[in-house]
Amino acid sequence: MLLWKTLVQGLSASFLALGKIALILFPLLILIEIAKELGWLDWATRKVAGLLRRLELPERAALPLAAGIIIGLTYSAGILLGAVKEKGWTERELTLLWIFLGLNHAIIEDTAIFAALGIPALAVLLVRLVPTVLVTWGMARVLKSQELTGTGDVD
Amino acid sequence: MERERLWRALREGAQNAVRTILVLAKVMVPATLLVTFLELSGLLPQLAKRFAPAMALLGLPGEAAIALVAGNLSSMYAGVGAMAALELTVKQRLILAAMLMLSHSLPQEGAIVLQAGGRALQVVGVRILTALATGIVLNMFF
C-alpha cells in the first residue's frame, strides 16, 4: 500500500515536473543553437571580456568563461581544461576563475529548469548572478592582499 | 540564415534537449520517489524536525534539508527531484533554487576544478558559504 502510493505520487510528481521542464527546454535549446549559428558566442565572449576586466581577471579567460557560463561545467570541461593548461595562469587567477564558474555555470539550462518549477526566470537569474559577482569580486580583493602581504602561497 | 544551418540548429537543439531531459530524469525520478517514500512513511517528518531549527534561518522547512543534501552530494538534479516532491511556497522555492544553483554536485565539480589546477577545497568552501549567505539574505529581505 505504502509502496503503491509512493509510486503513484512520486512518479506523477516527477513526470509532471519533467514535462514542464521539457516544454521550456526544447524551444530554448533550439534557440541557443540558432544563436550559436549566428555568432552569438563571439558576442557573449566580448561581453564577458568586459566583466573580466572589472573582476581583474585576464581577458584571455573570456572564451572558456563564456562557454562555461552558457553551456555548463561538465559539457565545456574540455574547452576549459585545454584553455587553462595552454596558457600561464597564476594560481590566483585560476582560483578566481573557478570560484566564478563554480557558482555560475550552465545558467540557461538551470534557469529554465527552475523557471519550469514555477519561479520567475528573472529572479532565478538574479539570485545567482548577484552573489556570484559579489563573491568573486570580494575574493579577488582577498587573494590580492594575500599576494601583496605574502601570506598566500604564490607560485 | 540558410535552410541548412537552420535545420542543423533545430536538430542539435532538439538532441541537446533530449539528452538533458534524459540525464535529468535518470537522477530526478529516483530522488523524487525516495523523498515521496520518506514523506509517506513518516521518516522524513521525523528527520525534518531535527533540521528545522537550522533550516529556519534559511526560511525553509526542515524537509528541504534533504534537497540540499542530495543536490550537494549527488547532483543538482537530485535536489530538483527532491524539491518536486515537497510542498513549498514560491519564496521557499526561490531560496532553495538559489542555494542549489550556487552549490551542487560538489564531489564531481570539485574534481573538475582539481584537474584544472584550481584550489578545489577553497572553491568548494566558497560555494557552500555563498549558498548559505544567499539563503539567509533572501530569507531576510525577500
Side-chain angles (χ1 to χ4, degrees):
Chain A
M1 201 47 219
L2 175 61
L3 281 181
W4 180 243
K5 229 177 146 190
T6 299
L7 271 178
V8 172
Q9 214 169 304
L11 286 180
S12 56
S14 49
F15 282 108
L16 187 68
L18 277 171
K20 286 185 192 158
I21 290 167
L23 274 182
I24 291 194
L25 225 47
F26 270 97
L28 192 76
L29 293 190
I30 288 170
L31 275 179
I32 290 178
E33 286 304 317
I34 293 174
K36 254 196 223 160
E37 288 285 339
L38 296 172
W40 184 58
L41 194 59
D42 299 336
W43 175 84
T45 303
R46 280 198 300 277
K47 292 280 160 204
V48 169
L51 175 69
L52 285 173
R53 258 197 308 280
R54 255 166 244 161
L55 292 171
E56 293 182 38
L57 283 166
E59 280 178 53
R60 61 173 185 277
L63 178 64
L65 201 57
I69 292 173
I70 297 161
I71 305 166
L73 212 53
T74 325
Y75 297 131
S76 59
I79 316 176
L80 287 167
L81 293 182
V84 163
K85 269 181 191 142
E86 81 188 29
K87 294 172 182 149
W89 294 66
T90 69
E91 199 171 23
R92 170 177 174 268
E93 290 168 348
L94 259 186
T95 303
L96 287 176
L97 172 78
W98 283 115
I99 285 175
F100 187 95
L101 263 187
L103 290 168
N104 195 31
H105 53 259
I107 54 169
I108 296 175
E109 246 177 69
D110 292 357
T111 304
I113 289 171
F114 285 109
L117 296 178
I119 314 164
L122 187 65
V124 176
L125 267 180
L126 282 179
V127 295
R128 192 174 195 188
L129 281 175
V130 173
T132 301
V133 171
L134 285 178
V135 167
T136 312
W137 182 81
M139 284 303 289
R141 294 283 160 300
V142 171
L143 293 177
K144 194 177 186 180
S145 67
Q146 273 184 8
E147 264 177 18
L148 291 177
T149 56
T151 47
D153 42 334
V154 184
D155 294 329
Chain B
M1 188 172 9
E2 317 97 79
R3 174 174 284 189
E4 212 174 288
R5 287 170 68 198
L6 182 66
W7 186 239
R8 201 203 63 79
L10 277 173
R11 213 182 40 227
E12 286 281 309
Q15 274 172 359
N16 284 346
V18 170
R19 206 170 18 215
T20 306
I21 291 163
L22 283 181
V23 174
L24 200 67
K26 246 187 352 206
V27 186
M28 239 183 92
V29 175
T32 312
L33 281 172
L34 179 69
V35 173
T36 307
F37 176 76
L38 290 176
E39 179 78 62
L40 291 175
S41 65
L43 285 171
L44 189 60
Q46 273 176 33
L47 214 70
K49 253 186 237 156
R50 294 172 184 253
F51 286 105
M55 297 299 285
L57 258 178
L58 305 165
L60 294 172
E63 280 91 347
I66 198 164
L68 289 178
V69 171
N72 279 285
L73 292 184
S74 170
S75 103
M76 193 184 86
Y77 301 150
V80 175
M83 203 171 138
L86 298 173
E87 300 240 348
L88 300 165
T89 66
V90 173
K91 175 182 173 174
Q92 289 170 335
R93 278 173 199 277
L94 180 66
I95 292 173
L96 201 51
M99 294 185 69
L100 280 174
M101 286 189 296
L102 291 166
S103 178
H104 58 251
S105 317
L106 295 178
Q108 298 97 305
E109 295 188 354
I112 295 178
V113 176
L114 201 62
Q115 225 184 335
R119 293 185 193 164
L121 275 182
Q122 201 168 356
V123 173
V124 165
V126 168
R127 287 183 73 178
I128 296 173
L129 289 177
T130 307
L132 286 173
T134 303
I136 292 170
V137 169
L138 280 176
N139 180 34
M140 289 196 313
F141 297 106
F142 178 65

